[in-house]
Amino acid sequence: MESSDVQRGRGRSPFDLIMNQIRRKRTTSDRKSTSGRFLSRQAESGGLPEDREMEEEREGVGVVPDPAESVCDMGWGRVCVFVKRLGKRADSRTLSLAHCDLTATDVLELATLLPSLSLLEEMDLSWNELIGGCLRSLTSHFQNVGGLRTLRLSCCRLTADDITALGEALKCVPVLEVLDLSWNAGIGGSALQGIVGKLHPTLREIYLVACQLTETDATILGSIVSVLPRLCVLDVSCNPLLAQTQTEAEEGSVSKTEPGTGVVWGLGGLVPSLSHTPSLTTLRLHDCGLTTHSLGLLGGSFHCLRSLCQLDLSCNKGVAGGLSLLSPHLALLSHLGGLDLHLCCLTHTDLQALIQALPSLTELTELDLSSNKEVGGVVSDLVSALPLSQMKLLPLNGCSLNQESLCALTLAMPYLRCIDVSWSKVVGGRLTLLLEALQPSVTQELRLSSCDLTTDDLLHLAVVCKRGVLSSLRVLDLSYNGGVGEEGWCGLLGEGGLGSLEELDLSLRPLTSKPSLLTSNPSPLTWLPTLLSAFPRLPALTRLSLQRWTLTAQEWEQVNHALRKRKVLLELDPAPFASSANQEGPEEERYEE
């Protein structure tokens, strides 16, 4: 016998079956709606107890806050307030407070903030001369910034006690890579002893520029670098007593050994330690009192410095006549890319020794022999020995160039990014010789100061600019060329083609002055109106020097109007206004939006 349900189903029409399915679906949705309204009412009343507890845990409602997190937030807030008060922006990884006139009180406050700077990687407190003598109050908290990688304290008037305190704290910063203590005269005189044995092998760069280091400090510095196998940069420039001993200064003799101690003084205490720095890429000994004997010692260490890329021996007049002691060893520096020997009073013999070594320097791109008068006589041999196609920098300013050397220089002109033949009178009237050798979009700096340029020279320069050859030029120095006439200035400034120019110097020689051509001739084609109309074609200009040109008050207003929306550093003599305040104003003005 069939069930009653089946019997009821058989007695229904298809339409009844369809309607029954619809009613069932509606009943299910009603049930869902009812449960939804119930849950909604629960939510309005705070929800189910279990759900409320879980939500409160997620949102922190009713949960006691973590005291450590609150303290951290408050600490970072104090950091932001402190940094903002000094006109800087807070950064958890970089603390740059250079030129902030920090006081001893500021250093104490900064020390209390270090626990909130645990992520700090770079700290720069340079050029704050009032913090000298109180560095210990800061370094005693360095355990809070153990990840510090860069520490810059240049020009802070640091004392021997500051260096000792720093040495004691260095154990807390095991990953320090850069240490800059430059421009602290108090470091000289054995104060460096405070960091001997305290630096970690991770250190890569040391800067001790202008610290009044003596021959004694050279030996101490040798002890420091001997345990730094990863050292890449060593800059001890502007320490004229570093390489000289008392005996050398008085008698011109070589380095000495203190009797009974076996301690080598002078540069002989530093150079042998460089054998422990195989990663050294940059060595700067600018103005260190080097002598011919120093060159011999230095050359003897080159077999251990095969990674050296930059070598600066400039402004050491004592090396004159001794370059032959160094040159034979230069071939060992197969990666040397830059060699600076400017202002070293090099002799003809020195230059010939250097020229013989140049072919072995296959990666050389920069050679600075400027301010050595004898260079003018060997330019032809010099250019022949250089890898011209890769040379970028070969300044020959102050080298007593002659017409023959000027012709030889044209062979290098197509490749040089920076061309400097300033203080070479022979260039006047012959500038076309150099300009015709230029290649488009290569030259970035052109310095022709005090070259006795003529009006025709500038007209030729204008033609080259118009052709787009100097479209990448950023610096143009035409200062101290008072022989250029109005037509030359107008021709250069009116042609365009200098869209990348950032610095333009048209100053006159000191102790001379000229009225602007607008005063002597009101023609609209004089140089000043042409310059003002050229500003729109010089969108990258950031510096303009017109020193010792005399401008009237009206011309001053014209310049102000032309630069009112430009960020340009304008170097001008004081304007001839009636007001004494205006007459005594600064020579440099910066116009900003």
Side-chain angles (χ1 to χ4, degrees):
M1 185 176 187
E2 297 179 352
S3 65
S4 58
D5 292 339
V6 175
Q7 289 178 351
R8 286 196 297 269
R10 287 181 177 179
R12 295 179 180 177
S13 65
F15 178 76
D16 291 335
L17 293 173
I18 294 173
M19 292 302 297
N20 187 41
Q21 292 293 329
I22 292 175
R23 281 193 293 269
R24 287 181 179 176
K25 291 181 178 181
R26 183 177 297 170
T27 302
T28 304
S29 63
D30 289 343
R31 287 197 300 269
K32 291 182 178 179
S33 177
T34 302
S35 62
R37 286 193 295 272
F38 169 75
L39 293 174
S40 176
R41 286 195 298 271
Q42 290 291 338
E44 292 176 359
S45 63
L48 297 174
E50 296 83 354
D51 294 340
R52 282 202 304 273
E53 291 176 2
M54 294 175 63
E55 188 68 24
E56 288 173 357
E57 288 180 1
R58 286 195 297 268
E59 297 181 0
V61 179
V63 180
V64 178
D66 186 352
E69 293 182 1
S70 300
V71 171
C72 182
D73 293 339
M74 291 175 59
W76 178 246
R78 289 178 57 215
V79 170
C80 295
V81 172
F82 177 76
V83 173
K84 185 177 181 180
R85 188 176 74 234
L86 297 171
K88 303 287 185 176
R89 296 184 62 180
D91 188 318
S92 61
R93 298 187 181 276
T94 302
L95 183 64
S96 179
L97 300 179
H99 300 279
C100 285
D101 295 325
L102 296 179
T103 64
T105 304
D106 294 324
V107 173
L108 286 171
E109 183 176 355
L110 177 59
T112 65
L113 299 176
L114 291 187
S116 302
L117 291 168
S118 58
L119 299 179
L120 197 63
E121 295 182 357
E122 180 175 350
M123 181 187 295
D124 187 355
L125 304 181
S126 300
W127 304 97
N128 290 288
E129 297 187 350
L130 299 180
I131 69 176
C134 61
L135 194 64
R136 185 179 295 274
S137 61
L138 178 66
T139 57
S140 59
H141 295 268
F142 267 19
Q143 69 274 10
N144 297 298
V145 287
L148 196 64
R149 296 182 180 274
T150 301
L151 179 60
R152 302 187 186 278
L153 296 167
S154 61
C155 198
C156 290
R157 292 193 178 182
L158 300 183
T159 65
D161 181 66
D162 290 326
I163 301 302
T164 300
L166 176 61
E168 296 171 354
L170 287 176
K171 61 183 179 181
C172 300
V173 283
V175 295
L176 189 67
E177 297 179 353
V178 180
L179 179 60
D180 188 351
L181 302 175
S182 300
W183 302 97
N184 287 290
I187 292 180
S190 304
L192 281 177
Q193 193 69 47
I195 59 174
V196 172
K198 306 296 177 62
L199 293 169
H200 294 271
T202 56
L203 198 69
R204 299 172 60 86
E205 301 178 20
I206 298 181
Y207 301 91
L208 293 168
V209 179
C211 289
Q212 293 192 9
L213 301 182
T214 65
E215 66 277 3
T216 306
D217 295 311
T219 303
I220 298 174
L221 184 58
S223 301
I224 293 174
V225 303
S226 64
V227 293
L228 300 175
R230 300 181 186 177
L231 190 66
C232 295
V233 178
L234 177 60
D235 190 349
V236 290
S237 300
C238 302
N239 289 288
L241 301 179
L242 184 67
Q244 288 187 336
T245 66
Q246 183 178 357
T247 306
E248 286 178 321
E250 295 177 356
E251 303 175 6
S253 64
V254 300
S255 297
K256 65 178 182 179
T257 302
E258 188 178 57
T261 64
V263 178
V264 179
W265 298 95
L267 200 62
L270 170 62
V271 172
S273 300
L274 297 179
S275 61
H276 300 284
T277 59
S279 300
L280 195 67
T281 59
T282 302
L283 177 60
R284 297 193 179 103
L285 297 170
H286 165 90
D287 189 19
C288 283
L290 301 185
T291 64
T292 55
H293 179 69
S294 303
L295 294 184
L297 288 173
L298 190 60
S301 68
F302 283 173
H303 67 282
C304 300
L305 300 176
R306 296 181 183 273
S307 298
L308 202 62
C309 297
Q310 297 289 329
L311 178 60
D312 185 354
L313 305 177
S314 60
C315 296
N316 287 288
K317 297 182 179 181
V319 304
L323 202 59
S324 58
L325 299 174
L326 179 75
S327 297
H329 303 282
L330 288 175
L332 298 173
L333 306 179
S334 57
H335 297 292
L336 191 65
L339 177 60
D340 192 345
L341 290 167
H342 81 267
L343 197 58
C344 284
C345 296
L346 299 181
T347 65
H348 183 79
T349 304
D350 290 328
L351 293 169
Q352 290 298 333
L354 176 62
I355 290 172
Q356 292 179 10
L358 288 179
S360 61
L361 302 179
T362 56
E363 295 191 14
L364 193 68
T365 60
E366 301 178 1
L367 176 62
D368 191 346
L369 297 175
S370 59
S371 300
N372 288 289
K373 294 183 178 181
E374 294 294 328
V375 172
V378 299
V379 173
S380 180
D381 294 337
L382 182 67
V383 170
S384 299
L386 287 171
L388 292 182
S389 61
Q390 64 190 42
M391 292 301 295
K392 299 177 182 178
L393 182 68
L394 183 63
L396 295 176
N397 51 296
C399 287
S400 298
L401 300 181
N402 52 42
Q403 188 171 352
E404 180 183 353
S405 57
L406 203 63
C407 293
L409 182 59
T410 59
L411 298 176
M413 295 286 285
Y415 311 103
L416 300 179
R417 293 184 181 179
C418 176
I419 298 172
D420 190 349
V421 291
S422 298
W423 306 96
S424 301
K425 307 301 182 185
V426 69
V427 177
R430 300 180 179 85
L431 184 60
T432 305
L433 189 65
L434 299 179
L435 296 178
E436 292 301 321
L438 296 177
Q439 291 296 315
S441 304
V442 174
T443 309
Q444 296 181 2
E445 294 186 21
L446 180 58
R447 300 184 183 275
L448 302 168
S449 177
S450 191
C451 285
D452 275 355
L453 298 182
T454 65
T455 299
D456 288 340
D457 287 329
L458 257 68
L459 291 177
H460 288 305
L461 180 58
V463 172
V464 171
C465 292
K466 187 176 181 179
R467 293 206 308 259
V469 176
L470 296 175
S471 59
S472 299
L473 195 67
R474 296 180 180 178
V475 178
L476 178 58
D477 185 356
L478 300 174
S479 60
Y480 302 174
N481 287 290
V484 177
E486 171 187 345
E487 185 182 359
W489 297 120
C490 292
L492 174 65
L493 299 172
E495 290 296 343
L498 295 172
S500 300
L501 194 65
E502 298 175 3
E503 298 184 19
L504 176 61
D505 194 340
L506 306 178
S507 300
L508 294 175
R509 190 180 301 277
L511 304 179
T512 63
S513 63
K514 282 188 177 182
S516 68
L517 301 177
L518 181 62
T519 304
S520 58
N521 183 0
S523 170
L525 295 179
T526 52
W527 78 272
L528 184 59
T530 304
L531 172 63
L532 299 180
S533 63
F535 279 142
R537 297 191 296 273
L538 301 172
L541 192 66
T542 59
R543 174 180 171 266
L544 172 63
S545 183
L546 296 171
Q547 292 183 357
R548 285 167 290 281
W549 284 96
T550 303
L551 273 67
T552 65
Q554 179 183 2
E555 291 168 342
W556 260 80
E557 291 184 4
Q558 292 177 350
V559 173
N560 286 331
H561 181 75
L563 297 175
R564 70 188 186 281
K565 293 184 178 180
R566 299 285 297 274
K567 293 183 178 180
V568 178
L569 177 64
L570 180 62
E571 298 174 355
L572 270 175
D573 291 336
F577 295 149
S579 168
S580 60
N582 289 328
Q583 289 178 348
E584 298 174 0
E587 292 189 2
E588 296 185 1
E589 300 284 348
R590 182 176 292 278
Y591 298 90
E592 298 184 359
E593 261 185 333

